[in-house]
Amino acid sequence: MAKDGAAKLSKNVLRMKFMQRGLDAELKKQLDEEEKRIISDEHWFLDLPELKAKENHIIEERSYAPCEDLVFGRMSFRGFNPEVEKLMLLMNTHKEEEDDDEDGNVSRMETDITDEEMARRYESMVESMRKKFAKKRNRSTVTKSEEDVNCNVADNQPKRAFLKPQD
Amino acid sequence: MDTIHACFKDKIGEVLLPGDVFSFRLPESGDGSIKTDKIICGPGLRRNGEEVQVCKSGILRHKQPNMYWIDSQQRRYVPAKGESVIGIVTAKSGDIFKVDVGGSEQASLSYLAFEGATKRNRPNVQVGDLVYGQFTIANKDMEPELVCIDSCGRANGMGVFGADGLLFKLSLGLVRRLLAPQSEIVKDLEKIFPFELVVGMNGRVWVKAKTVQQTLIVTSLLESCENMTSQQRQTLFKRVAEGSL
């Protein structure tokens, strides 16, 4: 290739990051703006006047279920199938709750475990999970912190992190 | 706003024929202070531009605050989105099952639409099984699609059911009466003997009782309820209850 005074590089190469480190901030800004302009010119858009969506006052509904408030289709009577009877209660009270929410009357569901027991279980579960996933170095600090009532963890060792070279 | 409801109000409870039109002039949209109410047209009513047309013959019903529909009688089911139906599995092809729901086309049911089903863990569904599912897609342009889970991924009683028992067909009006919130037919039937019932909105009903005879009794009672007044029905049920005991 014939060697000129200045090497003729293409526009795209000049636009790459490593070629622009030597430029001023102003030149950089200009180049950025030009690029944005080119990109936004390329976007396609419809040149139509703004159409307002027609508000439909009439809604069509094809099914009978919301009209007549039909109940759940599986039914069991006098204990023939206890699972279905449980389902019936669940599905039909779910529907009633939607109506009741307007009145503000929400009945509590029957719980197998009390709230207190649930809280106790969660507490112990959180501790054991923390221990399980703590790194080997941190495991001793985790077990130590349990004895302190206020859970004050005194950091005995400085946190070991990667030190970046100052160069 | 009131004009819309007034048009309908005097016709509630009356018999209407296809072709009857309710038209009302809505106020010009320049006046922004008037809040326009929405009206929900149920089955039997159709929107035609700014008018509402009746397309089935029957009685006009109303539910607060703004729902109107035509209560009509038919035996042929047309799939509608959100309805729970009983279907019979007719074929297994690749990833979907073909299910017969009594409409003009067979519905498709994907094998992933069951609770706890994954690509490796296929549900145990055979040809000829009964499934209770809901429509997610059901319009006149596309093949209807069923699913056996709700939007949270739980089954809620849907899926394959029924070993034993008997499946039979009723008219759609009777099925809706059975599914009404405080259904008298169901309350009267309950008193006779314990049994299990699955009602699909496509007119199909499945019954199971302790013995074959009791199943057949329940079946024939349901089929005969169609054209009886409540008085006649109650005397009949009482006779059967005494007879069986």
Side-chain angles (χ1 to χ4, degrees):
Chain A
M1 297 270 246
K3 257 201 171 171
D4 295 6
K8 279 208 189 127
L9 293 168
S10 71
K11 208 176 18 154
N12 285 332
V13 173
L14 286 172
R15 236 186 261 158
M16 289 189 183
K17 277 280 167 166
F18 65 86
M19 297 296 283
Q20 293 186 358
R21 281 196 202 134
L23 291 178
D24 297 345
E26 278 185 35
L27 274 172
K28 271 194 205 163
K29 259 192 255 167
Q30 264 186 13
L31 278 172
D32 275 340
E33 275 168 28
E34 267 190 42
E35 266 202 56
K36 274 191 208 151
R37 206 169 35 87
I38 293 173
I39 290 173
S40 65
D41 274 345
E42 285 179 5
H43 283 157
W44 289 49
F45 60 93
L46 287 174
D47 199 9
L48 296 172
E50 223 181 78
L51 290 171
K52 242 178 38 174
K54 260 169 123 180
E55 218 190 291
N56 277 331
H57 307 284
I58 309 172
I59 305 174
E60 274 199 13
E61 170 72 55
R62 288 242 165 258
S63 158
Y64 275 106
C67 295
E68 300 186 0
D69 280 338
L70 300 178
V71 299
F72 189 55
R74 288 192 80 163
M75 306 185 239
S76 151
F77 305 108
R78 294 227 206 145
F80 194 77
N81 190 340
E83 288 166 6
V84 174
E85 299 211 345
K86 262 189 263 170
L87 261 176
M88 274 169 78
L89 287 174
L90 196 68
M91 301 291 288
N92 294 336
T93 48
H94 179 62
K95 206 168 52 103
E96 270 174 35
E97 258 187 34
E98 283 179 16
D99 296 337
D100 276 348
D101 275 343
E102 295 166 358
D103 299 347
N105 229 6
V106 182
S107 59
R108 298 206 73 182
M109 249 179 27
E110 272 178 36
T111 48
D112 294 334
I113 322 177
T114 60
D115 290 341
E116 284 161 8
E117 229 200 279
M118 193 72 175
R120 250 180 275 145
R121 282 261 181 96
Y122 261 126
E123 229 177 62
S124 64
M125 191 172 74
V126 160
E127 270 311 310
S128 50
M129 289 303 265
R130 197 190 294 159
K131 259 195 272 176
K132 187 176 176 186
F133 288 107
K135 293 217 161 112
K136 216 169 173 183
R137 282 184 193 151
N138 299 337
R139 227 178 268 164
S140 52
T141 49
V142 170
T143 46
K144 263 190 227 162
S145 66
E146 279 178 30
E147 296 160 359
D148 196 352
V149 175
N150 293 333
C151 289
N152 293 330
V153 182
D155 221 8
N156 295 331
Q157 294 164 339
K159 196 165 174 196
R160 299 189 180 191
F162 178 67
L163 291 171
K164 214 170 175 180
Q166 292 292 324
D167 274 341
Chain B
M1 198 175 33
D2 284 327
T3 53
I4 303 171
H5 291 288
C7 284
F8 282 110
K9 228 172 251 179
D10 43 353
K11 299 279 190 178
I12 294 179
E14 283 196 15
V15 176
L16 295 177
L17 296 175
D20 289 351
V21 171
F22 295 97
S23 64
F24 26 77
R25 291 246 129 247
L26 287 164
E28 293 299 319
S29 55
D31 198 359
S33 61
I34 296 185
K35 212 178 56 152
T36 40
D37 277 343
K38 297 210 183 259
I39 289 201
I40 304 184
C41 299
L45 294 172
R46 246 176 159 203
R47 182 169 70 91
N48 190 5
E50 289 289 332
E51 305 173 327
V52 173
Q53 274 189 348
V54 175
C55 60
K56 272 198 210 158
S57 47
I59 304 178
L60 182 67
R61 303 267 184 226
H62 173 55
K63 186 178 105 155
Q64 296 295 338
N66 56 357
M67 206 181 263
Y68 297 92
W69 74 92
I70 300 277
D71 192 4
S72 65
Q73 187 60 286
Q74 63 184 55
R75 290 188 71 97
R76 165 63 83 170
Y77 177 66
V78 173
K81 180 171 167 173
E83 296 197 338
S84 313
V85 294
I86 296 182
I88 306 176
V89 178
T90 52
K92 236 196 287 206
S93 67
D95 290 343
I96 57 172
F97 302 109
K98 285 277 180 213
V99 178
D100 168 35
V101 288
S104 56
E105 269 190 276
Q106 298 202 335
S108 69
L109 171 60
S110 160
Y111 76 95
L112 289 172
F114 289 87
E115 183 171 15
T118 58
K119 287 203 179 138
R120 299 254 181 105
N121 180 15
R122 292 186 168 230
N124 189 10
V125 178
Q126 306 300 328
V127 171
D129 278 352
L130 295 175
V131 281
Y132 186 65
Q134 269 184 350
F135 283 112
T136 50
I137 298 182
N139 51 40
K140 63 182 164 83
D141 304 314
M142 290 167 62
E143 179 189 47
E145 283 186 23
L146 275 176
V147 286
C148 290
I149 51 173
D150 65 0
S151 49
C152 301
R154 286 183 301 222
N156 276 347
M158 294 191 274
V160 179
F161 66 92
D164 313 330
L166 179 64
L167 180 77
F168 57 99
K169 206 164 181 320
L170 293 176
S171 78
L172 301 187
L174 181 55
V175 154
R176 271 181 279 132
R177 271 156 60 193
L178 282 174
L179 286 175
Q182 305 290 331
S183 169
E184 294 183 0
I185 311 181
V186 162
K187 280 191 195 153
D188 291 339
L189 265 180
E190 227 176 356
K191 298 178 193 152
I192 307 185
F193 33 61
F195 66 100
E196 193 190 337
L197 183 67
V198 178
V199 180
M201 289 187 66
N202 51 350
R204 292 194 182 158
V205 177
W206 178 84
V207 177
K208 178 171 170 187
K210 256 188 243 152
T211 64
V212 175
Q213 218 176 18
Q214 287 184 352
T215 313
L216 290 173
I217 291 174
V218 175
T219 308
S220 53
L221 282 177
L222 279 173
E223 281 172 349
S224 61
C225 276
E226 171 84 50
N227 290 321
M228 285 204 265
T229 63
S230 50
Q231 192 60 30
Q232 290 170 327
R233 194 182 61 228
Q234 275 163 6
T235 40
L236 175 62
F237 282 22
K238 229 179 277 175
R239 254 177 41 210
V240 170
E242 282 154 21
S244 68
L245 292 171

